[in-house]
């Protein structure tokens, strides 16, 4: 697959943009396990224009994680275009537009998935950003606002006409949020539409190597995007890439290897934020979601202790002491 000037291997697997998850430390970890492209957390155009420090920090990228996309969200064409010009100065490989975030504080204010109810403005934003920057511009969106308004097949054509380089589609409506099952049928329809010439990236419930292959084989997408399945399990990319290449499962990591990766993730988070307490707090989402400790009997008290400590030494001691029966 080729996206603008970027050549990817056959059947590439991308790390989806996730707020409070895809920081530089986690992106590099996923890259090390085979993610073919990574995305920043989504960045508010308005906050970026106002030079909000925490927002500007999200622009930090490194050559080690390339190709990398900076994702922006907002609700006004001029603001999004200006934010895209600022983001371009950080030298990402791609500028990505978030038209899919379903949370109320974003969609309810007319940004993210909220633009699925105002397609003309979505298209105005897209055209404005494409004109504003020299980098390739991509879009990530959903099937539509709700079950009665699944507009993605027509919308995909209109977004392509705006000049985007690729389109990522999450197989849910905004009304679904992250509940129910992702519907890949319409993603497949977009991909198989003869009017579409840009790469189509499928997203939603890609959580196992077997499902990854099915999405490529059944729906014909050019790439897949992995989101929540990578939280607390960055090696999922290695598992998927191995299965896609060889058709057989990768030899599973040992329990100790998995624990070591989680500890490295915490250490990387602390190093990135420059503060032990903040780094641990930031990594807790991964520790809470990881499947590594699933099924261990009488684990509740250990889990509580692991998620309460603010000391790296204590946290690592707890993790080292966990055993599988």
């Amino acid at each position: 697959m080729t996206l603008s000037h970027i050549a990817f291997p056959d059947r590439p697997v991308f790390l989806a943009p996730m707020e409070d998850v895809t920081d530089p430390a986690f992106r590099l970890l996923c890259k090390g396990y085979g993610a073919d492209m990574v995305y920043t957390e989504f960045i508010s155009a308005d906050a970026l224009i106002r030079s909000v420090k925490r927002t500007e920090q999200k622009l930090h990228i490194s050559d080690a994680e390339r190709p990398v996309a900076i994702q922006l969200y907002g609700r006004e064409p001029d603001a999004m275009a200006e934010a895209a010009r600022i983001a371009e100065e950080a030298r990402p490989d791609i500028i990505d537009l978030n038209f899919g975030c379903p949370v109320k504080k974003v969609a309810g204010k007319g940004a993210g998935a909220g633009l699925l109810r105002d397609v003309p403005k979505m298209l105005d934003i897209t055209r404005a950003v494409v004109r504003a920057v020299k980098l390739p511009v991509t879009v990530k969106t959903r099937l539509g606002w709700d079950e009665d308004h699944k507009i993605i097949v027509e919308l995909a054509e209109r977004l392509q006409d705006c000049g985007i380089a690729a389109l990522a589609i999450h197989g849910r409506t905004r009304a679904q949020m992250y509940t129910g099952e992702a519907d890949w049928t319409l993603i497949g329809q977009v991909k198989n539409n003869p009017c579409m010439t840009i790469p189509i990236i499928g997203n939603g419930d890609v959580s196992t190597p077997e499902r990854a292959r099915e999405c490529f084989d059944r729906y014909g997408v050019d790439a897949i995007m992995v989101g929540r399945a990578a939280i607390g399990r960055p090696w999922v990319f290695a598992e998927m890439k191995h299965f896609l290449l060889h058709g057989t499962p990768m030899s599973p990591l040992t329990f100790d290897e998995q624990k070591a990766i989680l500890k490295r993730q915490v250490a990387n988070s602390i190093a990135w934020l420059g503060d032990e307490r903040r780094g641990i707090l930031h990594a807790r989402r991964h520790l809470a979601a990881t499947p590594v400790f699933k099924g261990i009997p009488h684990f509740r008290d250990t889990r509580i202790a692991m998620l309460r400590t603010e000391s790296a030494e204590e946290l690592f001691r707890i993790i080292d002491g966990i055993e599988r029966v």
Side-chain angles (χ1 to χ4, degrees), residues 18 38-39 52-53 55 70 75 84 91 97 105 133 140 148-149 151 177 188 194 198 201 247 271 286 294 319:
M18 291 177 282
V38 297
Y39 292 69
V52 175
K53 184 176 180 181
T55 299
I70 288 177
R75 59 183 179 180
R91 298 180 57 250
L97 306 182
K105 69 177 183 179
V133 298
K140 186 171 189 287
D148 297 325
H149 299 89
I151 61 172
M177 300 293 284
I198 59 175
I201 304 158
H286 298 270
K294 187 176 181 180
I319 292 174

Side-chain angles (χ1 to χ4, degrees), residues 152-153 156 167 169 185-193 196 200:
I152 190 60
V153 176
L167 174 64
I169 305 170
T185 304
L186 289 177
I187 299 177
Q189 285 187 32
V190 172
K191 174 56 192 173
N192 292 299
N193 178 354
M196 297 301 297
I200 302 300

Side-chain angles (χ1 to χ4, degrees), residues 18 20-23 26 30 230-234 262 265-266 281-291 293 307:
M18 291 177 282
D20 292 327
V21 175
T22 55
D23 57 53
F26 186 62
C30 292
I231 300 176
R233 186 186 164 200
L262 293 179
Q265 185 168 345
V266 173
L281 291 175
H282 191 69
R284 279 181 182 171
R285 178 187 296 246
H286 298 270
L287 295 175
T290 184
F293 307 121
L307 297 179

Side-chain angles (χ1 to χ4, degrees), residues 19-20 22-25 27 39-44 47-62 65 68 70-72 86-87 90 269 271-275 278 282:
E19 178 67 357
D20 292 327
T22 55
D23 57 53
R27 296 197 304 264
Y39 292 69
T40 65
E41 303 170 73
F42 64 60
I43 296 172
S44 164
L48 193 57
I49 292 170
R50 296 198 312 270
S51 300
V52 175
K53 184 176 180 181
R54 187 178 182 279
T55 299
E56 290 180 327
Q57 289 175 338
K58 292 182 179 181
L59 292 176
H60 179 83
I61 58 176
S62 66
E65 57 185 304
V68 56
I70 288 177
Q71 189 184 70
L72 304 173
I86 295 171
S269 181
W272 159 241
L273 292 172
D275 182 270
R278 289 177 60 214
H282 191 69

Side-chain angles (χ1 to χ4, degrees), residues 157-221:
E157 291 187 31
R158 299 179 72 182
L159 286 167
Q160 178 177 257
D161 290 342
C162 292
I164 63 171
L167 174 64
I169 305 170
H170 185 120
R172 289 182 172 87
T173 64
R174 188 274 172 178
Q176 284 181 272
M177 300 293 284
Y178 297 102
T179 63
E181 293 184 1
D183 178 6
W184 278 66
T185 304
L186 289 177
I187 299 177
Q189 285 187 32
V190 172
K191 174 56 192 173
N192 292 299
N193 178 354
C195 295
M196 297 301 297
T197 59
I198 59 175
I200 302 300
I201 304 158
N203 175 225
D205 296 345
V206 186
S207 58
T208 66
E210 293 78 10
R211 178 59 175 164
R213 185 171 71 174
E214 180 185 12
C215 290
F216 280 113
D217 292 347
R218 184 173 179 181
Y219 302 103
V221 292

Side-chain angles (χ1 to χ4, degrees), residues 124-137:
D124 286 344
I125 289 171
T126 305
R127 283 189 288 264
V129 173
V130 169
R131 288 194 299 264
V133 298
K134 296 178 181 179
L135 291 171
V137 176

